[in-house]
Amino acid sequence: DLLKTLQAAVSGNLETAVVGLLKPAAQYDAHEIKLAMKSYSVACPSSPQVPDGATLAEILCTRTTQQLREILDFYKHATAAPSQAAPSRKLIPHLPRRSKCNPFLVIWICSPLTPQPTPRLDFKSDLEADIASGPSGSFKDLLLALIKTSREKYSGVIDYVLIEQDAKALVNAGSGYVDGTDEKKWTGILTQRSPEHLNRGKTVTRL
């Protein structure tokens, strides 16, 4: 098919981009989240593996409520992809160089396709449970709040009173809390309010 053909022709970052563009958005996001979650399961003090919290934050913080629901559905119900990637060609540089054409190119065209193994990602799992056992602290609380998909939908009506209240609450939570930042207050507002509401709140805090 088209995906396997393109994977056989390109490699590296270009291959990653091509594969990503050809996958449905929810499938791609679920795949990246699963890889990020896997980094938490293998990371340990003696391992060079660093937990990939940046990917989790980028995807879960920027997707709409509907997009998050589609990601969660794929993550929970999708069948794992085969553990074998698209075939690739192996160069065998042993043709005589007297040929007018490039011998490496001839061998590349004529050589059989060799499947290259890739890590298997098992889906059909609950993202909430995975997050609960992976990240920790306030970051975990933020991610768990985001996947509840309870963010308010913008109604078209601008509530300036609520915007000002939220802006003041965020500022006070960050500076006036006895034991430091009131992270629960931040999490509640930033994961519940609509993007339009939050963007207007940023202008209030600058005044």
Side-chain angles (χ1 to χ4, degrees):
D1 59 24
L2 177 60
L3 178 58
K4 290 183 178 180
T5 300
L6 289 173
Q7 281 184 291
V10 297
S11 61
N13 292 333
L14 180 57
E15 179 184 2
T16 302
V18 168
V19 172
L21 289 170
L22 290 178
K23 284 183 179 179
Q27 179 183 348
Y28 178 80
D29 284 343
H31 181 272
E32 294 301 301
I33 290 173
K34 192 66 177 180
L35 281 177
M37 293 306 309
K38 191 174 181 181
S39 72
Y40 280 90
S41 64
V42 300
C44 63
S46 60
S47 171
Q49 178 73 43
V50 178
D52 187 8
T55 294
L56 296 176
E58 178 182 353
I59 293 176
L60 297 180
C61 290
T62 61
R63 302 305 186 256
T64 66
T65 297
Q66 180 58 35
Q67 288 171 333
L68 286 174
R69 288 171 180 165
E70 292 172 359
I71 292 169
L72 291 169
D73 183 69
F74 186 91
Y75 197 95
K76 189 171 185 177
H77 299 107
T79 304
S83 58
Q84 194 176 72
S88 63
R89 298 184 183 275
K90 184 178 181 180
L91 292 176
I92 311 175
H94 56 61
L95 278 186
R97 293 195 175 264
R98 284 174 286 184
S99 173
K100 291 183 179 180
C101 63
N102 189 324
F104 293 93
L105 180 59
V106 173
I107 291 297
W108 185 85
I109 294 174
C110 299
S111 63
L113 296 175
T114 305
Q116 302 296 315
T118 56
R120 182 182 180 86
L121 294 177
D122 292 320
F123 286 94
K124 290 195 173 181
S125 59
D126 184 66
L127 181 55
E128 183 175 2
D130 286 354
I131 291 176
S133 62
S136 60
S138 299
F139 183 54
K140 177 178 72 174
D141 295 338
L142 175 67
L143 297 180
L144 290 174
L146 286 167
I147 64 171
K148 290 185 182 298
T149 65
S150 57
R151 188 183 292 280
E152 298 169 355
K153 185 177 180 181
Y154 181 54
S155 64
V157 177
I158 302 173
D159 189 339
Y160 289 101
V161 174
L162 183 58
I163 289 172
E164 186 171 355
Q165 289 176 352
D166 284 346
K168 289 180 178 180
L170 290 173
V171 171
N172 292 335
S175 59
Y177 198 59
V178 176
D179 298 320
T181 303
D182 185 353
E183 293 164 344
K184 289 185 178 180
K185 176 69 71 174
W186 278 72
T187 298
I189 293 176
L190 296 178
T191 61
Q192 293 291 320
R193 304 293 189 249
S194 68
E196 293 81 4
H197 179 93
L198 294 174
N199 284 329
R200 290 184 178 277
K202 288 190 295 185
T203 62
V204 173
T205 57
R206 295 194 191 104
L207 298 178

